[in-house]
Amino acid sequence: MTEQVKPQEKEKMTIVVFSGELDKAIAAFIIATTGASMGMDVTMFFTFWGLNILKKNEGGMKSKGFKRKMFSILNRGGSKRLKLSRFNMFGLGTWMMKMVMKDSHYPSIDEFITMSKDMGIKLIPCSTTCGMFGLTENSFRGGVEGIAGAAFFVNEARQAKVTLFI
Amino acid sequence: MTEQVKPQEKEKMTIVVFSGELDKAIAAFIIATTGASMGMDVTMFFTFWGLNILKKNEGGMKSKGFKRKMFSILNRGGSKRLKLSRFNMFGLGTWMMKMVMKDSHYPSIDEFITMSKDMGIKLIPCSTTCGMFGLTENSFRGGVEGIAGAAFFVNEARQAKVTLFI
Amino acid sequence: MTEQVKPQEKEKMTIVVFSGELDKAIAAFIIATTGASMGMDVTMFFTFWGLNILKKNEGGMKSKGFKRKMFSILNRGGSKRLKLSRFNMFGLGTWMMKMVMKDSHYPSIDEFITMSKDMGIKLIPCSTTCGMFGLTENSFRGGVEGIAGAAFFVNEARQAKVTLFI
């Protein structure tokens, strides 16, 4: 942490992704990929329900302990299980949203994750909430960075030009 | 990116208004108008459900395509149709909140929008989500600026002293 | 506002706590206490439903006027009444979350508030929303700072390295 800011150093953007809803995930990825395409160094820090976005779509429910196991059945996660924060209507609204996005050639969440990795965006699960929910690095899809704690986030955020909590 | 800050240049505030709920809209406008009254140069960037705040209260449901048309019936919008994020209770809580605000002489959303424009706050709909929802500049009330993309927001945010995602 | 940053001056973090849900409150306190432990000068500004976090658990429902009284029955508040934003399931999910946190030796909200005060974090209720909801300084638990308006928040935020809206 010498932090000698060299003139050619990239401006940073840090996004906390707290929410695990489809619409908020799309907003987070649009802003992150836009930032990266404009030359910013982007870090996305996934915590609480946001961890669901990075969970494997298959398996990955091996939380330890009875209470955590119960909770992980409810809070299954995976990019394909995200729902809209409004108008979900037992899945109908979410399905309509996905159709509209597909028709308009917007990327899906899986495509956004691949794009993000290709653009050098760092996708980091929060170790504190991983601990709460009984998740390990193995719970997440490939390409996700190692888990890191809140101190890592705060350190990124205080160097960043743009910090958002989504 | 020469960014030589001249002494007379105003400090910037940028607010992403993602949520279309009455309480979050009030919070966003209180912060925005406070910033403007303190001499800041404020931009509000409306995206996803936040677009509903700026939609015309009458008409404006002419989205193209069947799926978008269905979605726009659900997601009607307009400043008079916003609901509380909590305790809506089929409109009762929202109605009580509006009454309390009126009794205490707080501005309504329509009044906040007028105040904002009078104070030089820029109200900008996000072009990406306008595209998703089939909205055009014609869907919004008068006084709204032209629509702009995520790159516009990121560029504002990285110059801003204060950036919020609401 | 001369703002001559002296080298020994602490970096600031400002958090608007708009939400009154258990999970968002935990996230806010984790970030705030982490910032303080890293030497930052942290201010938490509680507004709307976030005020519930600081309300006394007993009494404190003496809002003036019939409509406000009705609303304060619904919107009771107190650190022990906070619910999860997802999977509350009539209290079952919230109870499971609290159990998991206890088992893993995470602090409760009451413990987080005590820790925050011990670390010098300022907990400030927003005067504008206190006015709306008919709350006074007497509605809040001990240790809370005097109430302050949106101008106070904006002034903190524009000096802060990190500002979040939660």
Side-chain angles (χ1 to χ4, degrees), chain B residues 85-101:
Chain B
S85 66
R86 298 182 71 173
F87 307 119
N88 179 51
M89 301 183 301
F90 305 101
L92 182 64
T94 298
W95 174 83
M96 276 164 57
M97 182 76 166
K98 286 184 180 175
M99 282 301 101
V100 164
M101 288 188 70

Side-chain angles (χ1 to χ4, degrees), chain A residues 16 18-21 24 48-49 52 67-68 70-71 74-75 127-129 131-133 150-151 153-155 157-158 160 163-165, chain C residues 11 13 23-24 26-27 30-31 34-35 38 40 84-87 89 93 96-97 99-101 103-104 106 161-166:
Chain A
V16 183
F18 173 93
S19 304
E21 282 129 354
K24 293 207 172 166
F48 280 86
W49 321 111
N52 287 345
K67 286 166 209 153
R68 282 214 186 82
M70 291 299 295
F71 205 83
L74 283 170
N75 186 32
S127 57
T128 308
T129 38
M132 275 183 207
F133 293 155
F153 157 69
V154 171
N155 203 38
R158 70 183 182 186
T163 302
L164 302 171
F165 185 98
Chain C
E11 287 183 345
M13 176 189 280
D23 43 348
K24 293 209 173 164
I26 294 169
I30 290 175
I31 296 173
T34 303
M38 291 166 77
M40 296 183 85
L84 285 184
S85 67
R86 298 182 69 173
F87 306 121
M89 301 182 301
M96 276 165 59
M97 182 75 167
M99 285 298 103
V100 163
M101 288 188 70
D103 288 3
S104 320
Y106 286 103
K161 286 275 181 183
V162 182
T163 301
L164 302 171
F165 185 99
I166 296 185

Side-chain angles (χ1 to χ4, degrees), chain B residues 11 23 100 103-104 106, chain C residues 49 67-68 74 128 132 158:
Chain B
E11 288 183 346
D23 43 348
V100 164
D103 287 4
S104 320
Y106 287 103
Chain C
W49 322 110
K67 285 165 208 153
R68 284 213 185 83
L74 283 170
T128 309
M132 274 184 208
R158 71 183 182 186

Side-chain angles (χ1 to χ4, degrees), chain C residues 121-138:
Chain C
I121 295 171
K122 284 183 282 297
L123 308 177
I124 298 177
C126 163
S127 59
T128 309
T129 39
C130 282
M132 274 184 208
F133 293 156
L135 301 170
T136 63
E137 301 202 355
N138 206 32

Side-chain angles (χ1 to χ4, degrees), chain A residues 86-151:
Chain A
R86 297 182 71 173
F87 306 120
N88 178 54
M89 300 182 303
F90 305 100
L92 182 64
T94 298
W95 174 82
M96 275 164 58
M97 182 76 167
K98 285 184 180 175
M99 284 300 101
V100 164
M101 288 189 69
K102 204 170 179 179
D103 287 4
S104 320
H105 306 291
Y106 287 104
S108 68
I109 293 295
D110 282 346
E111 287 162 343
F112 264 127
I113 292 175
T114 306
M115 274 171 65
S116 297
K117 290 190 292 184
D118 290 349
M119 295 173 97
I121 296 171
K122 285 183 281 299
L123 308 176
I124 298 178
C126 163
S127 57
T128 308
T129 38
C130 283
M132 275 183 207
F133 293 155
L135 300 171
T136 63
E137 301 202 356
N138 206 32
S139 313
F140 302 107
R141 56 165 66 215
V144 167
E145 313 279 322
I147 65 179

